Amino acid sequence: MNHRHVLAAAALTLTAALTGCQPGTAPRPVAVPPPPASSPAGPGQPAPGGSAAQSIGVTDPHAGRAAGAELGEASHVPATSIAALPAPAGKGAQPRGTQAPVVFHGPRDRKRIALTFDSNMTDSMLRKLAAGQVKSYANTAVVDELQRTRTPATFFLAGKWVEAYPALTRRIAADPGFELASHSWAHEGFRAGCYGLGTIARDGMAADVERSFQVLGRFTDHPSRYFRFPGGCYDKAALAAIAPVGCTVVEYDDVSGDAFGSDPRRIAADTVAQARPGSIVVLHITEANAPKTAQALPSIIKQLRDRGFQLVTLGDLLS
């Protein structure tokens, strides 16, 4: 088989995987309720100023929608097919096929700190939200406080959280002081034993992360290529599995303790006590799981600034 035929075969394989059908067959219909009117642009629809991109589909035969977000796992698209996609762009982008570097903090020689906010969202959380068992997993008060104090921040958003809260995602994306990054699509563990999260299959890891970046691309034409593993959990196998995505993995060295924390004063005190030049602080925007973040934030921002720290986006910290 010559080079041209190899490329054609690879393109056919990728198209089949993305559309959920085998070569030579019609796409399988999926009976799911239509998304709500406020949901983000559908697969393949570009963000303002962006270009359309073919979207990775869902493989779960029971996939549907809950609370405005799609259920199920991303299709297990072959890593070789993902590597053949256009070169990634934006801060943190790496050549496809390159093992992602892992960053825990920025330069220690400047008093700059990045506040980062994770949005967790699993299928179980979506079902609780749809059933009315949980009021909200979106803490808009966090965004209010950041904008009131003109504090730059980076948001690691899970794809299913984005689909459930498109209006808040658009608000975050529209603020030039904020930066969007990926926290996976399905928010499953990338290694076993990760805080009770289910474990995503290794051959589905690259597709999950790639889909999360595609979801972010519906809201902005300049998303970063920073990725944070759910729970911060990973191993060498996970790093190798996501190499086709072409991203930079971002961990943290300042754990706020806001996840399930009940005392905003303690959250603020712990965050400030760990702060060093170049620190990356991890906080959350999932209100039901981190209910006191907004209350702790004013003290965190004030104390850090009083100590001479400049609060910047992750991209600025690492540039």
Side-chain angles (χ1 to χ4, degrees):
M1 184 179 290
N2 62 33
H3 182 65
R4 183 172 58 185
H5 289 162
V6 170
L7 290 177
L12 181 60
T13 300
L14 177 60
T15 300
L18 296 180
T19 57
C21 63
Q22 297 297 320
T25 67
R28 298 188 303 270
V30 180
V32 298
S38 60
S39 66
Q45 295 181 353
S51 58
Q54 201 167 21
S55 187
I56 294 173
V58 177
T59 57
D60 186 342
H62 304 294
R65 293 186 72 87
E70 199 167 6
L71 304 178
E73 293 184 350
S75 300
H76 290 200
V77 181
T80 52
S81 299
I82 294 177
L85 293 172
K91 294 179 179 179
Q94 305 290 333
R96 291 191 185 275
T98 302
Q99 181 162 304
V102 183
V103 175
F104 289 86
H105 60 79
R108 296 298 195 189
D109 59 350
R110 301 181 66 182
K111 294 194 72 173
R112 290 151 63 102
I113 286 179
L115 299 183
T116 68
F117 295 83
D118 291 359
S119 73
N120 309 341
M121 187 62 79
T122 64
D123 282 353
S124 175
M125 292 165 64
L126 284 169
R127 291 188 178 103
K128 289 180 180 178
L129 190 64
Q133 298 173 8
V134 171
K135 180 180 179 182
S136 177
Y137 288 112
N139 197 336
T140 57
V142 167
V143 181
D144 292 341
E145 185 61 24
L146 291 170
Q147 291 184 323
R148 184 187 71 81
T149 56
R150 298 184 179 180
T151 302
T154 301
F155 292 84
F156 285 86
L157 305 181
K160 295 187 180 188
W161 186 95
V162 169
E163 291 180 344
Y165 296 106
L168 185 55
T169 302
R170 281 191 290 269
R171 178 181 169 188
I172 294 169
D175 192 315
F178 295 155
E179 184 175 58
L180 298 183
S182 165
H183 196 36
S184 82
W185 182 65
H187 201 267
E188 294 182 310
F190 280 66
R191 67 164 172 78
C194 183
Y195 300 103
L197 298 174
T199 306
I200 190 170
R202 189 177 303 176
D203 61 356
M205 290 179 178
D208 178 277
V209 180
E210 184 64 38
R211 180 167 190 180
S212 73
F213 282 118
Q214 290 182 5
V215 171
L216 290 176
R218 301 177 196 167
F219 293 84
T220 175
D221 57 0
H222 54 276
S224 75
R225 206 71 178 181
Y226 297 128
F227 168 66
R228 176 170 289 159
F229 285 104
C233 304
Y234 68 97
D235 54 22
K236 290 182 179 179
L239 289 175
I242 67 169
V245 177
C247 62
T248 294
V249 171
V250 178
E251 292 287 301
Y252 35 81
D253 67 334
D254 189 335
V255 181
S256 67
D258 67 333
F260 303 101
S262 59
D263 185 351
R265 291 175 297 179
R266 177 64 181 272
I267 294 168
D270 287 350
T271 301
V272 174
Q274 298 173 72
R276 298 174 57 193
S279 282
I280 298 174
V281 181
V282 59
L283 295 134
H284 294 81
I285 195 174
T286 41
E287 184 174 16
N289 293 350
K292 301 299 181 181
T293 307
Q295 291 94 316
L297 202 50
S299 180
I300 292 172
I301 293 170
K302 184 179 186 304
Q303 289 190 64
L304 291 177
R305 284 176 169 165
D306 286 348
R307 295 186 182 201
F309 287 108
Q310 180 186 7
L311 303 181
V312 297
T313 63
L314 181 63
D316 286 342
L317 181 73
L318 301 180
S319 62

